[in-house]
Short mmCIF file of all heavy atoms in Angstrom, two decimals:
data_model
loop_
_atom_site.label_atom_id
_atom_site.label_comp_id
_atom_site.label_asym_id
_atom_site.label_seq_id
_atom_site.Cartn_x
_atom_site.Cartn_y
_atom_site.Cartn_z
N ALA A 1 -14.00 -105.71 63.04
CA ALA A 1 -14.54 -105.61 64.41
C ALA A 1 -14.45 -106.93 65.17
O ALA A 1 -14.31 -106.91 66.40
CB ALA A 1 -15.98 -105.11 64.37
N ASP A 2 -14.50 -108.05 64.48
CA ASP A 2 -14.45 -109.35 65.16
C ASP A 2 -13.03 -109.89 65.29
O ASP A 2 -12.84 -110.98 65.82
CB ASP A 2 -15.31 -110.36 64.41
CG ASP A 2 -16.79 -110.03 64.47
OD1 ASP A 2 -17.21 -109.31 65.41
OD2 ASP A 2 -17.53 -110.47 63.57
N LEU A 3 -12.06 -109.15 64.80
CA LEU A 3 -10.67 -109.58 64.88
C LEU A 3 -10.02 -108.99 66.13
O LEU A 3 -10.40 -107.91 66.58
CB LEU A 3 -9.90 -109.14 63.63
CG LEU A 3 -10.47 -109.60 62.28
CD1 LEU A 3 -9.63 -109.02 61.14
CD2 LEU A 3 -10.53 -111.10 62.21
N ASP A 4 -9.06 -109.67 66.66
CA ASP A 4 -8.36 -109.18 67.85
C ASP A 4 -7.17 -108.32 67.41
O ASP A 4 -6.03 -108.76 67.46
CB ASP A 4 -7.90 -110.36 68.70
CG ASP A 4 -7.25 -109.93 69.98
OD1 ASP A 4 -7.53 -108.81 70.46
OD2 ASP A 4 -6.43 -110.71 70.52
N LEU A 5 -7.48 -107.09 66.96
CA LEU A 5 -6.43 -106.20 66.49
C LEU A 5 -5.70 -105.55 67.67
O LEU A 5 -6.33 -105.13 68.64
CB LEU A 5 -7.02 -105.09 65.62
CG LEU A 5 -7.74 -105.50 64.34
CD1 LEU A 5 -8.25 -104.27 63.60
CD2 LEU A 5 -6.84 -106.32 63.44
N SER A 6 -4.40 -105.41 67.54
CA SER A 6 -3.64 -104.69 68.56
C SER A 6 -3.59 -103.20 68.24
O SER A 6 -3.29 -102.39 69.12
CB SER A 6 -2.23 -105.25 68.68
OG SER A 6 -1.54 -105.13 67.46
N ALA A 7 -3.90 -102.84 66.99
CA ALA A 7 -3.87 -101.44 66.60
C ALA A 7 -4.89 -101.19 65.47
O ALA A 7 -5.03 -102.01 64.57
CB ALA A 7 -2.48 -101.04 66.12
N PHE A 8 -5.57 -100.07 65.58
CA PHE A 8 -6.45 -99.58 64.53
C PHE A 8 -6.21 -98.08 64.51
O PHE A 8 -6.75 -97.33 65.31
CB PHE A 8 -7.92 -99.89 64.86
CG PHE A 8 -8.87 -99.62 63.72
CD1 PHE A 8 -9.24 -100.64 62.85
CD2 PHE A 8 -9.41 -98.36 63.53
CE1 PHE A 8 -10.13 -100.40 61.81
CE2 PHE A 8 -10.29 -98.11 62.49
CZ PHE A 8 -10.65 -99.13 61.63
N VAL A 9 -5.31 -97.66 63.62
CA VAL A 9 -4.81 -96.29 63.62
C VAL A 9 -5.39 -95.53 62.42
O VAL A 9 -5.32 -96.00 61.28
CB VAL A 9 -3.26 -96.26 63.55
CG1 VAL A 9 -2.74 -94.84 63.55
CG2 VAL A 9 -2.67 -97.07 64.71
N LEU A 10 -5.95 -94.37 62.71
CA LEU A 10 -6.56 -93.53 61.69
C LEU A 10 -5.75 -92.24 61.56
O LEU A 10 -5.55 -91.54 62.55
CB LEU A 10 -8.00 -93.21 62.09
CG LEU A 10 -8.89 -94.43 62.32
CD1 LEU A 10 -10.10 -94.06 63.17
CD2 LEU A 10 -9.30 -95.02 61.00
N PHE A 11 -5.27 -91.93 60.36
CA PHE A 11 -4.56 -90.69 60.13
C PHE A 11 -5.58 -89.59 59.88
O PHE A 11 -6.14 -89.46 58.80
CB PHE A 11 -3.59 -90.80 58.95
CG PHE A 11 -2.23 -91.28 59.35
CD1 PHE A 11 -2.06 -92.55 59.85
CD2 PHE A 11 -1.14 -90.44 59.26
CE1 PHE A 11 -0.81 -92.99 60.23
CE2 PHE A 11 0.11 -90.87 59.65
CZ PHE A 11 0.28 -92.16 60.14
N SER A 12 -5.83 -88.80 60.90
CA SER A 12 -6.75 -87.68 60.84
C SER A 12 -5.93 -86.43 60.54
O SER A 12 -4.81 -86.52 60.06
CB SER A 12 -7.49 -87.58 62.18
OG SER A 12 -8.37 -86.50 62.20
N SER A 13 -6.48 -85.29 60.84
CA SER A 13 -5.79 -84.04 60.58
C SER A 13 -6.18 -82.99 61.59
O SER A 13 -7.33 -82.94 62.03
CB SER A 13 -6.13 -83.53 59.17
OG SER A 13 -5.67 -82.22 59.00
N ALA A 14 -5.23 -82.14 61.92
CA ALA A 14 -5.53 -81.01 62.79
C ALA A 14 -6.58 -80.12 62.13
O ALA A 14 -7.28 -79.36 62.79
CB ALA A 14 -4.26 -80.21 63.08
N GLY A 15 -6.72 -80.25 60.81
CA GLY A 15 -7.72 -79.49 60.06
C GLY A 15 -9.15 -79.81 60.48
O GLY A 15 -10.06 -79.05 60.18
N GLY A 16 -9.36 -80.89 61.18
CA GLY A 16 -10.67 -81.21 61.71
C GLY A 16 -10.95 -80.43 62.99
O GLY A 16 -12.08 -80.40 63.47
N LEU A 17 -9.90 -79.82 63.55
CA LEU A 17 -10.03 -79.13 64.83
C LEU A 17 -9.79 -77.63 64.72
O LEU A 17 -10.50 -76.83 65.32
CB LEU A 17 -9.01 -79.72 65.83
CG LEU A 17 -9.07 -81.23 66.03
CD1 LEU A 17 -7.87 -81.71 66.81
CD2 LEU A 17 -10.35 -81.61 66.73
N VAL A 18 -8.75 -77.24 63.99
CA VAL A 18 -8.37 -75.83 63.90
C VAL A 18 -7.90 -75.49 62.49
O VAL A 18 -7.48 -76.36 61.73
CB VAL A 18 -7.23 -75.48 64.88
CG1 VAL A 18 -7.66 -75.63 66.32
CG2 VAL A 18 -6.00 -76.32 64.61
N LEU A 19 -7.97 -74.24 62.14
CA LEU A 19 -7.39 -73.70 60.91
C LEU A 19 -7.79 -74.47 59.65
O LEU A 19 -6.95 -74.73 58.79
CB LEU A 19 -5.87 -73.64 61.03
CG LEU A 19 -5.33 -72.75 62.15
CD1 LEU A 19 -3.83 -72.87 62.24
CD2 LEU A 19 -5.74 -71.30 61.95
N ALA A 20 -9.06 -74.81 59.52
CA ALA A 20 -9.51 -75.56 58.35
C ALA A 20 -10.23 -74.67 57.34
O ALA A 20 -11.08 -75.15 56.59
CB ALA A 20 -10.41 -76.69 58.80
N ALA A 21 -9.91 -73.41 57.31
CA ALA A 21 -10.56 -72.49 56.38
C ALA A 21 -10.45 -73.02 54.96
O ALA A 21 -9.37 -73.38 54.50
CB ALA A 21 -9.92 -71.11 56.47
N GLY A 22 -11.58 -73.11 54.28
CA GLY A 22 -11.60 -73.58 52.91
C GLY A 22 -11.50 -75.08 52.76
O GLY A 22 -11.32 -75.59 51.67
N GLN A 23 -11.61 -75.82 53.86
CA GLN A 23 -11.48 -77.29 53.82
C GLN A 23 -12.67 -77.95 54.50
O GLN A 23 -12.52 -78.87 55.29
CB GLN A 23 -10.20 -77.72 54.52
CG GLN A 23 -8.94 -77.22 53.86
CD GLN A 23 -7.70 -77.72 54.59
OE1 GLN A 23 -7.71 -77.93 55.79
NE2 GLN A 23 -6.64 -77.94 53.85
N ALA A 24 -13.87 -77.52 54.15
CA ALA A 24 -15.07 -78.00 54.83
C ALA A 24 -15.21 -79.52 54.75
O ALA A 24 -15.45 -80.18 55.78
CB ALA A 24 -16.30 -77.32 54.25
N SER A 25 -15.08 -80.11 53.58
CA SER A 25 -15.27 -81.55 53.44
C SER A 25 -14.14 -82.33 54.11
O SER A 25 -14.38 -83.36 54.77
CB SER A 25 -15.39 -81.95 51.97
OG SER A 25 -14.28 -81.50 51.23
#
């Protein structure tokens, strides 16, 4: 947080938004 980063990229998933049946966690 105290560093001057030009990028902080998180690989998320569409499963957090749609079609996540059986993938609650």
Side-chain angles (χ1 to χ4, degrees):
D2 293 337
L3 304 178
D4 184 24
L5 299 180
S6 60
F8 190 94
V9 180
L10 303 160
F11 271 66
S12 179
S13 169
L17 306 169
V18 295
L19 300 175
Q23 297 181 329
S25 55

